[in-house]
Amino acid sequence: MAESNPTGIDKEAIRAAARNLQDGPVTAGYQGDRAAVVKMLNDALATELVCILRYKRHYYTVSGRDNGPIKAEFLEHAMQEQEHADWLAERIIQLNGQPDFNPATLLARSHAEYDASDDVQSMIKANLIAERVAIESYRQMIEQIGTTDPTTRHLLIKIMAVEEEHADDMRDLLD
């Protein structure tokens, strides 16, 4: 007769996790569609990389003595988008995938667009649009993942919260 387990913890599943070390943090209990999640994360990575490039371009090209705070906001957002890209790439590796940094396919995979505006208000508007696109993209990814991959879900929620702050910042800068 099997021993009763009052904690509800499956000890055999825990023992199984000690095997297959090459899978790293992905245990047999992982319920997500790993290939689909990695693709989703690579598309998010592409989006973040395009956002970095857009914010950096805006940072370097905005001019005028009255635009110092806007310039600083663009740089701060670029650095935060870089942090998001790093987190996404790390999670892709954890899921035994390969982060896709291929510049030849970056725009095609990105949910957001690049922008080469020259006037400040157009830059702000382009960034607000991109942030709203990112927010909706992350919302849909979170919904698709559901409860199958709590770590990825938590990461996407954390990134989406920052994207919402970015959108709020850009909205506040609009004339």
Side-chain angles (χ1 to χ4, degrees):
M1 180 184 222
E3 279 185 48
S4 166
N5 185 349
T7 64
I9 301 294
D10 182 348
K11 290 187 179 182
E12 184 50 42
I14 292 171
R15 288 184 193 100
R19 299 185 286 273
N20 301 321
L21 300 180
Q22 69 279 5
D23 287 341
V26 181
T27 65
Y30 180 80
Q31 297 174 3
D33 177 342
R34 208 170 357 161
V37 172
V38 166
K39 179 179 181 336
M40 204 181 300
L41 293 176
N42 264 315
D43 289 351
L45 175 60
T47 302
E48 295 293 343
L49 294 171
V50 168
C51 289
I52 294 163
L53 295 172
R54 188 187 58 257
Y55 273 121
K56 283 287 202 155
R57 189 215 178 261
H58 291 170
Y59 167 75
Y60 284 111
T61 59
V62 73
S63 60
R65 129 182 85 147
D66 294 337
N67 291 323
I70 293 171
K71 187 176 179 100
E73 196 73 34
F74 289 163
L75 180 59
E76 179 184 347
H77 288 202
M79 292 185 308
Q80 289 169 333
E81 304 293 2
Q82 179 64 60
E83 185 174 43
H84 299 167
D86 293 342
W87 292 340
L88 291 164
E90 183 62 34
R91 183 63 183 152
I92 291 166
I93 292 295
Q94 289 171 353
L95 292 172
N96 300 317
Q98 294 295 316
D100 187 350
F101 286 90
N102 185 346
T105 61
L106 205 55
L107 282 173
R109 292 181 292 113
S110 173
H111 302 140
E113 296 180 10
Y114 183 76
D115 177 73
S117 297
D118 287 325
D119 80 78
V120 176
Q121 284 300 302
S122 295
M123 291 177 190
I124 294 168
K125 185 177 178 186
N127 287 319
L128 177 55
I129 290 168
E131 295 297 354
R132 290 177 52 81
V133 165
I135 291 163
E136 180 59 19
S137 297
Y138 284 118
R139 189 198 62 72
Q140 289 184 26
M141 287 184 260
I142 291 162
E143 186 176 284
Q144 284 181 30
I145 289 171
T147 60
T148 64
D149 183 340
T151 302
T152 300
R153 180 182 176 87
H154 176 75
L155 172 63
L156 297 177
I157 290 169
K158 182 165 91 168
I159 293 172
M160 188 173 84
V162 177
E163 302 298 4
E164 288 175 351
E165 290 174 20
H166 290 178
D168 194 44
D169 292 343
M170 290 299 107
R171 182 187 59 187
D172 289 348
L173 293 173
L174 280 176
D175 275 343

